Amino acid sequence: MKIFLGVPVLAFAVYFLASSATPPEAPIGFDNKTNGMVDDATHAVDQDKFDEVEQVSDGLGPLYNAQSCRECHQSPTSGASSQVPELRVGHRGPHGKFENPEIPIAHGTEIIKGRSLVNDRAICPSAAFPATEIQERVPDAENIHTFRVSLSLLGDGFVEAVSDQTFVGLAKEQCDKSHHKICGQVLYVPVVEAPGHTAVGRFGWKDQQASLLSFAADAYLNEMGITSRLQPDEVTNLCNTVTEPNDRPGSDGLSDIDHFARFIRATKAPARDAQLAQTPKARQGLELFTKIGCIECHVETLTTSPANTNINGGTFAIPTALGAMQFHPYGDFLLHDVGTGDGVVQSMTEHYGKRMYSITWKNLSIPAFESTANKIRTAPLWGVRLHSRLMHDGESHTLLDAILRHKGEAEHITEKFEKLKSSEKEALLEFLRSL
Ligand code: HEC
Ligand code: HEC
């Protein structure tokens, strides 16, 4: 009898203790060491793959932007960000909706369609293909142009491990609290490695991916021209000589995209400037950042789901090192219209591949995708002190410029910022410089 009574009491006590305790902090740092998900030797192997410079004989191109992931994700360490932007273009169709560009290559014998990305480099003309000119150039009719700067990937394993419900709850909470002035959009996107499954998008300036493996395959194809099991179709077959898919499993059974995803998942979150973070000025800055409402979108703390929770359509179980941890991204990973929109709707065929699109499109909301045209994901501010060019297009060159550009959903917050005393503004900026 005693035992039977004792079990629920004990279970309750354990639940109570577990739920009231503050979750442990995610490891931080720029030391190239693992967050504990794998050992350091494995992390170094994965980083070598991420840093590797690919050649035409590895499948690079035919159209591409750079030869390695590190080329754009490098400062201050592999996996972080850089000044490198990518170019996206398009135009509005008859009903005012965004349409992808049509880009003729090879003297107009082929038209590249179904993607907003314009690749800056090509592998031919070359000795092997002296007469084939495939460089993409923007036609005059494509009158929507934007740059998107490279993002940091450090700590993204923690972002991937946050539940969809957390983001849904956050969007509702901020909308209620602000009386519908600030209402982030949650966008469900395909999980490319789990055909038919969707999850809440959280990666990329437009929340175009939910899974780091999906993003790795997307980037390998669209930034480097390398096909994989998840993105098996080349953008063009002109000048192409390497067997498909270009990325095939090595002796350890893993393809490059698997190494990239594991590398990103095992990175530590960006560390704050420890010295600056302690100053009274930066502390006052955080108070003001909170008080005037920057924090509604630049959310301070998120917590990951417990270890062993299955995510990404059931294809990935959250490892112990990433489970039930708190981290401080200063972002909500939701889409907002802050008046900086670029008018581009992400292309399903580009990001998810033609084959995946044909399976999963039925589970997606096309109107939800279209409504993102002028929205951008809240830029997470962790590590912002290490970026020289700010906002999605890199067009803001000081923190103050970036703040003053916030209109739309953030207009009333920007007004509050402008009303601060100059010493208070300086404190808020000092706080940002400590992130
Ligand atoms: C030519 C530069 C370039 C190269 C090469 C590149 N990336 Fe990126 N990466 C970017 C840019 C730009 C973005 C933001 C793209 C967007 O949202 O439109 C980005 C975003 C990402 C993100 C989303 C991060 C976040 O927190 O939202 C991931 C993950 C990523 N890249 C992984 C990779 C991997 C893996 C490789 C190598 C296969 C790679 N990238 C190669 C430029 C590059
Ligand atoms: C309604 C949501 C919202 C509010 C409120 C908000 N922001 Fe932002 N913030 C964003 C979005 C969205 C972006 C990205 C915009 C873009 O790239 O075009 C951004 C970008 C930034 C950036 C640029 C970061 C980078 O890496 O490029 C800074 C700095 C910033 N915000 C600071 C602030 C400060 C300070 C406040 C308060 C005065 C504030 N924000 C209020 C949504 C918001």
Side-chain angles (χ1 to χ4, degrees):
M1 192 63 190
K2 253 189 179 163
I3 294 166
F4 282 101
L5 266 179
V7 170
V9 170
L10 189 69
F12 178 76
V14 168
Y15 173 80
F16 183 75
L17 280 174
S19 61
S20 63
T22 317
E25 292 282 337
I28 53 170
F30 300 102
D31 58 4
N32 278 356
K33 297 274 193 309
T34 155
N35 59 28
M37 192 188 103
V38 294
D39 57 40
D40 282 327
T42 307
H43 195 51
V45 168
D46 291 343
Q47 184 182 329
D48 277 349
K49 295 282 184 187
F50 188 88
D51 291 353
E52 193 173 310
V53 176
E54 303 294 338
Q55 310 295 337
V56 173
S57 56
D58 300 314
L60 180 75
L63 296 167
Y64 70 109
N65 282 337
Q67 284 179 279
S68 80
C69 304
R70 184 193 55 181
E71 224 173 299
C72 304
H73 297 290
Q74 193 266 336
S75 168
T77 181
S78 271
S81 67
S82 75
Q83 83 284 13
V84 181
E86 60 183 38
L87 176 60
R88 290 189 180 276
V89 308
H91 59 270
R92 278 187 219 298
H95 303 293
K97 287 184 181 167
F98 176 80
E99 288 181 357
N100 289 311
E102 298 201 347
I103 302 189
I105 57 170
H107 302 104
T109 54
E110 189 171 321
I111 313 268
I112 305 292
K113 298 177 186 164
R115 61 205 299 255
S116 60
L117 187 67
V118 179
N119 283 128
D120 287 303
R121 304 186 200 179
I123 61 168
C124 59
S126 61
F129 300 94
T132 316
E133 305 233 348
I134 64 168
Q135 177 57 51
E136 288 192 290
R137 290 188 307 261
V138 182
D140 291 332
E142 307 302 342
N143 52 13
I144 298 178
H145 303 173
T146 186
F147 283 118
R148 304 251 180 94
V149 298
S150 303
L151 289 163
S152 168
L153 323 178
L154 300 180
D156 274 355
F158 298 98
V159 180
E160 188 183 39
V162 173
S163 72
D164 285 0
Q165 293 71 17
T166 299
F167 294 115
V168 172
L170 207 55
K172 186 176 180 316
E173 194 186 306
Q174 70 183 190
C175 195
D176 289 349
K177 197 173 158 196
S178 68
H179 304 288
H180 293 259
K181 285 200 188 104
I182 299 178
C183 298
Q185 182 185 345
V186 163
L187 185 69
Y188 285 89
V189 300
V191 178
V192 182
E193 62 273 31
H197 288 268
T198 62
V200 172
R202 57 200 68 188
F203 297 119
W205 285 103
K206 291 276 189 174
D207 276 343
Q208 61 265 32
Q209 297 288 5
S211 134
L212 289 169
L213 183 59
S214 298
F215 211 120
D218 178 349
Y220 216 16
L221 177 68
N222 290 304
E223 307 290 358
M224 297 169 66
I226 297 183
T227 53
S228 63
R229 68 177 188 279
L230 296 182
Q231 292 279 0
D233 299 310
E234 292 281 3
V235 174
T236 174
N237 286 313
L238 292 171
C239 309
N240 191 37
T241 51
V242 180
T243 328
E244 308 292 342
N246 308 150
D247 175 20
R248 268 165 296 163
S251 53
D252 57 2
L254 301 180
S255 298
D256 289 352
I257 54 171
D258 302 309
H259 286 285
F260 301 152
R262 192 170 68 184
F263 170 69
I264 302 167
R265 284 170 179 152
T267 55
K268 292 182 179 175
R272 288 186 66 179
D273 179 320
Q275 221 179 339
L276 262 194
Q278 296 309 320
T279 62
K281 198 167 159 190
R283 284 162 184 257
Q284 185 200 0
L286 171 59
E287 275 168 32
L288 291 161
F289 185 86
T290 309
K291 189 175 139 204
I292 67 171
C294 306
I295 206 130
E296 298 308 320
C297 300
H298 295 284
V299 171
E300 188 172 30
T301 303
L302 292 175
T303 304
T304 63
S305 297
N308 301 320
T309 308
N310 283 318
I311 59 169
N312 298 343
T315 59
F316 183 64
I318 296 177
T320 311
L322 304 183
M325 305 286 272
Q326 62 167 320
F327 60 103
H328 309 289
Y330 296 94
D332 59 5
F333 299 91
L334 302 173
L335 293 164
H336 292 277
D337 181 348
V338 295
T340 58
D342 57 23
V344 178
V345 175
Q346 58 272 49
S347 160
M348 308 237 178
T349 47
E350 175 187 328
H351 294 297
Y352 318 119
K354 294 185 193 96
R355 300 178 200 198
M356 179 52 44
Y357 179 54
S358 66
I359 299 170
T360 310
W361 72 272
K362 295 187 279 315
N363 305 337
L364 295 168
S365 162
I366 304 297
F369 269 78
E370 286 172 347
S371 74
T372 66
N374 280 317
K375 294 182 184 173
I376 305 280
R377 178 186 79 171
T378 303
L381 299 178
W382 53 1
V384 72
R385 73 180 187 284
L386 304 168
H387 304 176
S388 54
R389 302 179 191 195
L390 302 170
M391 308 293 260
H392 70 280
D393 51 11
E395 285 294 310
S396 303
H397 305 143
T398 66
L399 289 165
L400 185 61
D401 282 351
I403 296 173
L404 297 178
R405 252 177 97 187
H406 287 61
K407 301 280 185 299
E409 287 180 59
E411 177 129 39
H412 60 296
I413 309 288
T414 309
E415 281 164 11
K416 285 186 190 164
F417 174 80
E418 287 183 285
K419 286 194 189 121
L420 294 177
K421 288 188 266 177
S422 59
S423 62
E424 292 176 325
K425 284 183 189 156
E426 189 40 48
L428 198 148
L429 291 169
E430 186 80 340
F431 162 66
L432 296 179
R433 288 191 286 263
S434 77
L435 290 180

